[in-house]
Amino acid sequence: KNRTGVTCPIAFSACLAGAPAAFAQDAEQPTFPERRIEETIVTASRTARPINDIARSVLVLEPLVLSENLVKTSNVGDLLGAAVPGFGAPSAVDITRAQTLRGREPQYLIDGIPLTFNGGAGIGGSPLVKFDPEAIGRIEVLYGPTSVYGAGATGGVIQFFTQEPATDDPFSMRLRLQATTYTEADNPLEDEALSYKPTVSVSGKLDRFDYIAIYSHDSQNGVFDSDGNLANPVFYGFSDEDYIFTKLGFDLTDSQRIEGFFNYSEREADGRAYRLELNDNGTANAIEDEDPLEIDLGGDEPFDEKRFWNVRYLHDDLAGGTFMLQYYGRKEERASGFIDLRLASLLPTWSAAWPNNYQSSFLDEGQGLRSQFSYNPSDSISLITGIDYEEQERRSDARVFALADDFAQSGETEGVIRDDFFGFPFELETLGVFIQAEYEVNDRLRLSGGLRWEDVSFEIEGGTQVFEDVLIDGEQVARPGGSGGADDVAFNLGATFELMPELTLFANFAQGYEVPDLSQVASVVPPDATLESDDAVTPQIVDNYELGLRGGTAQWRYSLAAFYAESELGQNFIYDPVTRFGQYNRSPQENYGFEVVLGWAPIASLDLLATFSWNEGDFDPDGDGPEGDVPLTSLDVAPWKATLNARYDITTWLQLNAQILTVGDRTRAFDNGVDLGDIDGFTTVDIGGIFRWRDATVSLQVTNALNEDYITPTSQTYIGNPLFLERVAPAPGRALSVALTYDF
């Protein structure tokens, strides 16, 4: 039990949810939530289980941690980067480039809906900007490859669970205003430096009906570095985004329920295009005192719309078991602003034949069904089985523009001179059938295991990529398209053993199944080859081995987990040493590492939590065995990371918090010629406080309080790459964020 008397079955992982210390109750003054640990988790086996019964590393982030971190930013990736051991460091932007989980891509879910498509996230993407973080009530992280939710989770599963109604009353409302500015800017209150986000939430319960609706407008303006200069606007951008989230539920009977939600977001870039100047460290900032340019794209203005929805039927007493049937759909359409690569001409390796300015567009669309049935044939045995089906479509294109002679002054373009694929379009269908079982041998030993059969079929459209010239006898040749499929079975086995009431040993073997990035595989197949027979389209199975300890007492919680994962076909990018451009690579891959978490509550009002995670990885690009292994790129393997979190309750209405985040160096891939540059580490300090009075809450956070001058690992991975020279940016300087909340 923890110090509040609440049973803490997991030790560190759920306790990482942090949660403040318990407070004395005051009849007239609301207090902070009691420090509670969520005792069940659903990601691991798709059904509720006490965390200590899960035979692998698990993490729960509770509402208090979310609200505390999201005062600083609306960026969910930064929240995960700061709070989740083994996940890549915060990037300060909304893409998950260089943010893997244990060196491989995780699968992101929201209430069971995949946010990332089969085929991997590649070296970039924005799966975490499809929803308003205000709609999230809890985050669960399942570490390591798994096939329980289908193809795509080679690094683990990160699942977001949406909010429930705030009260049992028919109607409640919350108003929230969040604002962020940079203290080193010349005028921190001007539009360029000030970002803001108002949010309105309503919820309630009416007999058998419950609802929640959220609307927010997120205005993201400039980012300023530690010297007070406008940091690279190409990397950070200016945008306005509107979110709408609605969730409805109806109890058909005491044991049957139907529920669903609809989420919509629309982002609009303001069209600013800044000329950049390069700094000595390779980063880029806007040229001081120069007005931005308005680019004429011939009527094809940037836009970004995302929508997804689900309907779920639940039956808690069907033939003595629990049944769930879910339908979901999603659609994302977007077109980028003008991307100007003329800075790349500063590099001697740049080829003048390549396009230097373009606009990209994307379409991701899919729908699926999930059904599952769980049953306990005896007090010691539990079973769950299910069927999943999904179909999806993805395409991305790029249009290269001719620039007017006076483009630098007018922003005028003279039409499209090339229109090709950015990534090859494809369609994909998957069908999965799974069964999981748990057996409680005795009070101390629990065994678990299962298997999943997955069948995939795909069709890839052939053609030409905008950043590639395939010439035969001087003529442009299209890459071949094709169709194909594969099926396989993935297994998992695990065990937990209670060594003593305060310490549990867990071990597991688990396989993950992943379809390769079909939008890129055609680019590595020779023009005269048959796509269906190439290793580039073969799915990979990842074998993962994990051993760990977790436990806790009234004042301590602790955990140690070590892992090793291997696959015959990896999925990574390497850089050509001559052109310095990325190349898609399929070769044997291994990942390994460990995470340590230690929590301590020396007194009732103070909570301390320290974490450390390290992972590495190798691959064999030539396929000649272990002697040919080289380090994985820093796009896949994040440098080591350590955090120290503290929360101190001064009174029942005032709490202070602080976080120290240290990210280490990683030079191994650069030293072996894999990366174009090394990763330099840094340390940042965040401090803040939460003040509550009756129905009002004021949260104040200072990020990078010491105004550290550094570059995020995400931005560092662009250094030396001529395609992305304009995306190298200094990290944000000291920022001040405040959130005002009032509950009706």
Side-chain angles (χ1 to χ4, degrees):
K1 294 186 177 182
N2 64 17
R3 64 176 182 269
T4 65
V6 177
T7 299
C8 179
I10 174 182
F12 91 93
S13 291
C15 294
L16 181 58
F23 300 94
Q25 295 298 312
D26 186 324
E28 297 182 357
Q29 170 60 37
T31 63
F32 289 94
E34 187 180 71
R35 179 179 176 272
R36 291 199 58 196
I37 303 306
E38 188 71 22
E39 294 188 347
T40 58
I41 189 165
V42 299
T43 21
S45 59
R46 288 177 53 154
T47 187
R49 285 288 183 271
I51 297 175
N52 221 33
D53 292 347
I54 306 296
R56 60 166 69 213
S57 296
V58 179
L59 169 76
V60 180
L61 299 179
E62 295 293 350
L64 181 72
V65 175
L66 306 185
S67 61
E68 180 181 293
N69 281 274
L70 291 175
V71 172
K72 310 173 188 178
T73 176
S74 297
N75 189 321
V76 179
D78 281 0
L79 183 154
L80 298 175
V84 178
F87 190 79
S91 66
V93 288
D94 60 13
I95 62 174
T96 55
R97 178 185 175 94
Q99 284 191 305
T100 57
L101 183 64
R102 288 186 171 179
R104 295 181 186 258
E105 292 290 342
Q107 184 181 47
Y108 299 96
L109 304 167
I110 181 167
D111 284 356
I113 301 175
L115 294 173
T116 45
F117 286 68
N118 291 332
I123 60 173
S126 54
L128 302 180
V129 298
K130 300 179 181 181
F131 57 88
D132 184 354
E134 296 291 334
I136 302 304
R138 188 174 83 257
I139 300 176
E140 297 178 356
V141 181
L142 169 69
Y143 284 88
T146 178
S147 60
V148 172
Y149 272 98
T154 56
V157 172
I158 299 178
Q159 181 152 201
F160 305 91
F161 293 90
T162 56
Q163 293 271 13
E164 299 295 335
T167 70
D168 292 334
D169 297 330
F171 179 83
S172 65
M173 175 183 288
R174 166 170 288 186
L175 301 180
R176 188 174 188 271
L177 176 62
Q178 175 181 328
T180 297
T181 191
Y182 295 88
T183 61
E184 304 306 304
D186 291 339
N187 188 352
L189 298 181
E190 67 181 3
D191 289 345
E192 200 170 57
L194 182 64
S195 298
Y196 59 90
K197 180 184 177 183
T199 303
V200 180
S201 307
V202 295
S203 65
K205 295 183 179 181
L206 298 166
D207 194 20
R208 293 182 177 273
F209 174 74
D210 54 81
Y211 68 93
I212 182 170
I214 301 173
Y215 168 77
S216 66
H217 175 81
D218 195 356
S219 179
Q220 294 290 327
N221 287 310
V223 171
F224 287 76
D225 65 15
S226 60
D227 294 324
N229 300 315
L230 181 61
N232 188 344
V234 175
F235 186 66
Y236 293 112
F238 291 76
S239 66
D240 289 279
E241 188 156 14
D242 292 289
Y243 294 98
I244 298 175
F245 173 82
T246 59
K247 181 178 179 180
L248 307 175
F250 184 74
D251 295 329
L252 301 171
T253 67
D254 291 342
S255 60
Q256 298 182 71
R257 176 176 172 83
I258 186 169
E259 61 184 23
F261 72 73
F262 174 79
N263 184 90
Y264 174 82
S265 68
E266 180 179 13
R267 173 178 292 190
E268 180 180 350
D270 68 358
R272 303 187 206 191
Y274 287 82
R275 282 208 309 142
L276 306 177
E277 58 183 357
L278 296 178
N279 303 315
D280 292 339
N281 62 358
T283 62
N285 279 9
I287 296 178
E288 191 173 358
D289 299 327
E290 182 171 280
D291 293 332
L293 189 66
E294 295 291 335
I295 306 297
D296 178 14
L297 293 173
D300 296 309
E301 299 306 317
F303 74 95
D304 190 342
E305 294 184 2
K306 305 178 181 71
R307 58 189 70 87
F308 55 94
W309 58 91
N310 85 332
V311 179
R312 181 164 55 179
Y313 169 75
L314 304 165
H315 198 312
D316 291 338
D317 189 16
L318 180 64
T322 301
F323 174 76
M324 186 278 289
L325 176 65
Q326 180 185 44
Y327 165 75
Y328 62 86
R330 61 198 176 194
K331 185 173 184 180
E332 179 177 350
E333 297 177 280
R334 63 189 187 277
S336 74
F338 183 84
I339 299 175
D340 188 355
L341 294 179
R342 288 173 298 157
L343 271 176
S345 62
L346 299 174
L347 293 178
T349 55
W350 177 258
S351 169
W354 282 47
N356 63 3
N357 52 87
Y358 67 98
Q359 180 187 33
S360 58
S361 61
F362 302 86
L363 169 66
D364 291 334
E365 188 171 12
Q367 59 183 341
L369 285 170
R370 294 189 187 277
S371 66
Q372 65 184 55
F373 179 74
S374 57
Y375 177 67
N376 297 338
S378 71
D379 292 339
S380 59
I381 298 177
S382 62
L383 299 172
I384 177 173
T385 185
I387 301 175
D388 301 329
Y389 171 79
E390 182 178 71
E391 58 184 24
Q392 63 186 67
E393 174 186 355
R394 173 184 288 181
R395 70 172 300 121
S396 56
D397 304 279
R399 310 169 69 216
V400 183
F401 292 90
L403 305 183
D405 293 337
D406 64 343
F407 173 80
Q409 291 75 40
S410 67
E412 296 289 333
T413 59
E414 294 184 346
V416 176
I417 59 175
R418 184 169 177 176
D419 194 345
D420 292 300
F421 297 147
F422 196 82
F424 292 91
F426 68 86
E427 295 180 1
L428 177 70
E429 287 188 79
T430 63
L431 174 67
V433 180
F434 71 92
I435 183 169
Q436 288 285 123
E438 290 190 7
Y439 174 48
E440 187 177 357
V441 180
N442 52 49
D443 291 342
R444 302 175 66 183
L445 176 63
R446 178 180 292 266
L447 305 178
S448 61
L451 59 87
R452 181 186 180 96
W453 172 76
E454 191 95 7
D455 179 79
V456 301
S457 60
F458 63 85
E459 183 172 351
I460 303 175
E461 184 178 340
T464 58
Q465 272 188 304
V466 71
F467 291 133
E468 180 182 49
D469 289 312
V470 180
L471 302 177
I472 296 181
D473 296 330
E475 295 186 4
Q476 179 75 32
V477 178
R479 293 285 188 181
S483 59
D487 67 279
D488 216 323
V489 176
F491 300 88
N492 66 84
L493 294 169
T496 62
F497 182 73
E498 186 182 282
L499 299 172
M500 59 185 68
E502 298 82 14
L503 188 63
T504 297
L505 172 70
F506 63 91
N508 76 79
F509 166 77
Q511 293 182 315
Y513 186 76
E514 183 178 46
V515 179
D517 187 348
L518 298 177
S519 68
Q520 296 295 326
V521 293
S523 66
V524 298
V525 178
D528 56 350
T530 301
L531 182 63
E532 293 87 335
S533 62
D534 198 276
D535 279 346
V537 298
T538 303
Q540 67 166 323
I541 284 189
V542 180
D543 295 332
N544 182 76
Y545 306 86
E546 183 180 21
L547 183 66
L549 292 165
R550 60 188 175 215
T553 65
Q555 290 185 311
W556 294 91
R557 60 234 192 238
Y558 33 79
S559 179
L560 168 65
F563 69 92
Y564 173 79
E566 61 179 352
S567 58
E568 293 185 6
L569 286 175
Q571 181 175 200
N572 48 69
F573 283 76
I574 58 176
Y575 291 102
D576 186 289
V578 178
T579 66
R580 302 170 74 86
F581 299 136
Q583 294 182 333
Y584 186 75
N585 180 264
R586 303 295 309 277
S587 58
Q589 178 179 334
E590 60 180 3
N591 298 81
Y592 43 89
F594 65 91
E595 297 112 16
V596 179
V597 177
L598 177 64
W600 182 38
I603 57 176
S605 58
L606 179 62
D607 213 9
L608 302 174
L609 182 71
T611 75
F612 180 86
S613 56
W614 173 86
N615 74 99
E616 259 298 342
D618 304 280
F619 71 111
D620 182 10
D622 299 322
D624 53 2
E627 63 275 5
D629 285 358
V630 295
L632 285 169
T633 172
S634 294
L635 290 169
D636 296 318
V637 176
W640 64 263
K641 183 176 67 176
T643 64
L644 176 61
N645 293 270
R647 293 181 180 86
Y648 180 58
D649 313 325
I650 295 180
T651 69
T652 58
W653 43 267
L654 178 61
Q655 180 193 82
L656 302 180
N657 59 73
Q659 179 184 72
I660 301 174
L661 168 68
T662 297
V663 176
D665 298 335
R666 185 172 190 261
T667 62
R668 185 167 174 256
F670 175 67
D671 293 341
N672 284 267
V674 176
D675 281 353
L676 300 181
D678 55 11
I679 301 296
D680 293 328
F682 57 89
T683 296
T684 60
V685 177
D686 299 345
I687 58 175
I690 303 175
F691 174 82
R692 292 191 174 184
W693 182 255
R694 300 190 182 278
D695 296 321
T697 302
V698 180
S699 300
L700 183 69
Q701 295 287 329
V702 180
T703 55
N704 194 7
L706 302 181
N707 204 33
E708 175 76 6
D709 181 13
Y710 69 100
I711 309 174
T712 66
T714 293
S715 193
Q716 290 187 58
T717 61
Y718 288 117
I719 294 177
N721 187 333
L723 275 178
F724 300 112
L725 180 64
E726 84 290 355
R727 298 189 186 183
V728 182
R734 184 188 296 114
L736 174 65
S737 301
V738 61
L740 309 175
T741 304
Y742 192 84
D743 293 303
F744 294 88

